[in-house]
Amino acid sequence: MPAVTPTAKGSGMLTLVAGGVAVLALVSSGMLWQKLSHIQEQLARQSADAGAQAVEARTIASQAQDQARDIAARQAVTDARISETTLQRTQLEDLMQSLSRSRDENLVVDIESAVRLAQQQAQLTGSIEPLLAALKSADDRVTRAAQPRLAPLQRAIAHDTERIKAATTTDTPGLLVKLDELVRQVDELPTVNAVVVASAVGAGKTAPPLAAEWWQRALDVVHQEARKLLRVSRIEQPEAALLSPEQTFFLRENLKLKLLNARLGLLARQLASARADLTAAATALNKYFDPASRKTQSMATLLQEVQGQMKAVELPQVDETLAALATAAAGR
């Protein structure tokens, strides 16, 4: 057998090692290549997925942009409508406030006119009823209006109403009725020099009996005729006895004129003139008319009542209400 040298043996070992290394390298390369292929496939799939997702994302983004533009357009329309609604609401509120102010102003003007007219009527008639009625109507209208800015006016109306009710005034309608009654009674008054009715003279005496003597009957007739011709009475004012029937007529008419002048003075609120006319009428009544007559006494009593009731009392004013109306009209 041939002999193997150590050099050849080492070369074979090297060849085997090199072959093994080569095989290992080849196997490793194959495995690496397979792994790379697998990675490439994953990368390709991921790239495809990423591309699909990118396309989907772009689609979604496009839809989102479209929706955003749609929403923006709708928002713009909504904002425009809101602005228009806000403007309309502002205009409506201004209109309502204007109408409310106009209504309040008209209410204040109407109440002021009614109160001033009632005050003039009260001054002409001397009665507080027109003022009370006007203030009550004004209070009812202010209550129905239910405006806080008119609360001071309502308080002023209440104060004036209480003050007017507590005031003492002349009962003008009652005095006018009594003056009319005095004028009516003038024609029924007997004057001081009035002739006694013949039937009243000797009414209490009985006729003489038929059996009396003729001369007695004759004396009775003469006596009765004498009583008709002669009348004895006491007259304090001599000029009252000298009144003729024509003068008596003018005396009654003059007395009526004095009473009518007093009536006109009362209506015109000229109480001093009315009292002077009543005093003159009372003087004429006591001077020219029979004080013993019941009619004269009744008229004198009624005349004294009228003089006593005719007081110089000023009618209450509604200054507080008028001031509150002026303040409300000024808008304060």
Side-chain angles (χ1 to χ4, degrees):
M1 290 181 59
V4 179
T5 61
T7 302
K9 188 179 180 179
S11 297
M13 290 297 291
L14 289 173
T15 300
L16 290 174
V17 171
V21 171
V23 171
L24 290 173
L26 183 60
V27 172
S28 178
S29 296
M31 294 177 62
L32 182 61
W33 178 261
Q34 185 178 4
K35 187 175 181 179
L36 288 175
S37 298
H38 181 67
I39 291 173
Q40 288 178 353
E41 290 177 359
Q42 288 181 350
L43 290 176
R45 285 195 300 268
Q46 291 178 357
S47 178
D49 294 339
Q53 291 176 358
V55 172
E56 185 179 359
R58 283 194 298 269
T59 303
I60 294 174
S62 178
Q63 293 176 354
Q65 289 178 356
D66 294 340
Q67 292 178 357
R69 284 193 296 268
D70 188 16
I71 292 174
R74 292 181 180 179
Q75 183 68 31
V77 173
T78 303
D79 292 341
R81 290 181 178 177
I82 291 175
S83 300
E84 183 179 359
T85 303
T86 303
L87 178 60
Q88 291 177 354
R89 179 179 178 181
T90 303
Q91 293 176 350
L92 183 59
E93 289 178 353
D94 294 339
L95 180 60
M96 292 177 62
Q97 291 178 0
S98 176
L99 291 176
S100 178
R101 287 193 299 268
S102 177
R103 184 185 63 180
D104 293 345
E105 291 173 359
N106 293 335
L107 177 62
V108 170
V109 172
D110 291 344
I111 291 176
E112 184 176 4
S113 300
V115 170
R116 291 188 182 277
L117 180 60
Q119 190 170 11
Q120 293 177 359
Q121 291 178 350
Q123 291 176 354
L124 290 175
T125 60
S127 174
I128 61 175
E129 295 302 324
L131 274 178
L132 292 177
L135 291 177
K136 185 178 184 304
S137 176
D139 183 68
D140 293 340
R141 296 182 65 181
V142 172
T143 302
R144 288 195 301 269
Q147 291 293 333
R149 59 188 294 266
L150 298 180
L153 173 60
Q154 196 168 14
R155 291 194 295 269
I157 291 174
H159 293 166
D160 283 340
T161 301
E162 293 177 359
R163 186 164 51 83
I164 291 174
K165 288 181 178 179
T168 302
T169 58
T170 302
D171 183 14
T172 303
L175 290 178
L176 293 177
V177 172
K178 291 181 179 180
L179 286 173
D180 293 338
E181 179 65 19
L182 288 173
V183 173
R184 188 191 64 79
Q185 292 179 6
V186 171
D187 292 331
E188 302 175 358
L189 296 177
T191 57
V192 174
N193 65 345
V195 178
V196 180
V197 180
S199 61
V201 178
K205 288 192 174 183
T206 59
L210 297 177
E213 297 294 335
W214 62 269
W215 57 269
Q216 291 180 350
R217 293 197 299 272
L219 287 178
D220 290 336
V221 171
V222 171
H223 182 264
Q224 292 179 3
E225 294 297 330
R227 292 189 62 178
K228 294 179 182 178
L229 295 175
L230 299 177
R231 179 167 57 91
V232 179
S233 61
R234 181 180 180 84
I235 299 177
E236 299 295 339
Q237 302 291 338
E239 60 271 19
L242 301 178
L243 290 175
S244 64
E246 293 80 5
Q247 291 174 333
T248 301
F249 170 77
F250 288 109
L251 173 64
R252 295 180 189 278
E253 295 301 318
N254 187 35
L255 181 57
K256 290 180 182 179
L257 287 177
K258 292 184 183 298
L259 294 174
L260 291 176
N261 286 336
R263 190 179 192 278
L264 292 177
L266 178 61
L267 289 175
R269 306 300 300 162
Q270 297 177 358
L271 300 183
S273 175
R275 285 196 297 271
D277 290 328
L278 290 178
T279 302
T283 302
L285 179 66
N286 296 328
K287 184 176 182 180
Y288 294 103
F289 295 92
D290 186 8
S293 173
R294 290 184 179 180
K295 295 181 179 179
T296 304
Q297 294 174 358
S298 174
M299 184 170 177
T301 302
L302 185 59
L303 189 58
Q304 290 178 356
E305 291 179 2
V306 173
Q307 288 177 318
Q309 292 177 3
M310 192 174 293
K311 302 176 182 178
V313 180
E314 293 294 333
L315 287 173
Q317 303 295 320
V318 287
D319 297 333
E320 188 173 352
T321 299
L322 294 176
L325 286 170
T327 302
R332 297 190 295 271

